[in-house]
Amino acid sequence: LSLPTLFRSNIKENSLFQNINLNVPVNFTWHFAITDDITVAPYTGFSFKLHMMSRVKNKTEIKGLPTDVLDDYFGEDEDKWQSVFGSEYKKEWGKTWNRFQMGWQLGANAIYQNKYTVGLEYGYDMIPAFSCKEDLDDFRITNGTFKITLGYIF
């Protein structure tokens, strides 16, 4: 075993992420009447996402190392909330997260008596929220979502 492999096998990293954003979907929808009471409406389109407040908190544990040694290596801010758009984040990673993302979605709604809806949707970000090249890894952070919706039409 190489030292990086041995070292990585003993690392446990946890990240907690909070995000407040404005998501604007733009869809193309078709309506097909199945019966007099039931309509199926498949759709596809783009979503435009603006991140307004995002923050992350990381916690790293390495088996066999005491907490004070970890604090010396990772710093005292390791277990504190940090804005992904702030100067501290940029200093650590060389860049901040993207404030704007664009994605696509595909889904369908079933409409009953023009009052009740049930829907399924899958969407994926085409522009990553963050991408970085590190010494050992290249990584991208994107978001894939699966939604089940229930609705009432007023």
Side-chain angles (χ1 to χ4, degrees):
L1 285 175
S2 68
L3 186 57
T5 303
L6 182 62
F7 186 68
R8 282 183 166 201
S9 66
N10 291 314
I11 295 176
K12 179 181 176 187
E13 292 182 278
N14 292 312
S15 293
L16 192 60
F17 183 73
Q18 291 181 342
N19 185 12
I20 297 173
N21 63 55
L22 175 66
N23 190 22
V24 178
V26 178
N27 290 317
F28 302 98
T29 306
W30 299 268
H31 289 259
F32 300 102
I34 304 299
T35 67
D36 289 342
D37 288 338
I38 298 174
T39 302
V40 174
Y43 61 89
T44 187
F46 297 101
S47 63
F48 302 94
K49 193 182 304 178
L50 178 65
H51 296 282
M52 296 183 280
M53 192 283 301
S54 300
R55 60 187 191 162
V56 67
K57 179 166 64 169
N58 297 310
K59 182 68 178 169
T60 304
E61 296 174 20
I62 302 176
K63 292 179 192 171
L65 282 181
T67 306
D68 58 336
V69 173
L70 284 172
D71 289 344
D72 288 343
Y73 182 74
F74 290 108
E76 296 177 9
D77 293 334
E78 169 71 4
D79 198 25
K80 294 188 174 79
W81 286 107
Q82 182 181 37
S83 169
V84 297
F85 303 117
S87 59
E88 299 163 3
Y89 201 86
K90 187 173 186 172
K91 186 174 16 171
E92 182 179 345
W93 290 95
K95 63 189 277 187
T96 61
W97 285 44
N98 293 326
R99 284 240 185 226
F100 173 78
Q101 281 186 278
M102 187 174 111
W104 65 268
Q105 66 259 347
L106 175 69
N109 287 314
I111 305 166
Y112 180 68
Q113 294 181 346
N114 271 347
K115 290 188 178 188
Y116 307 101
T117 67
V118 176
L120 298 174
E121 177 186 298
Y122 179 77
Y124 190 77
D125 294 333
M126 295 186 298
I127 298 174
F130 184 78
S131 61
C132 185
K133 293 181 185 268
E134 279 193 3
D135 295 336
L136 299 174
D137 295 312
D138 295 346
F139 63 90
R140 298 165 37 109
I141 297 173
T142 57
N143 189 25
T145 57
F146 177 73
K147 296 179 187 175
I148 300 173
T149 59
L150 299 172
Y152 181 79
I153 300 171
F154 294 96

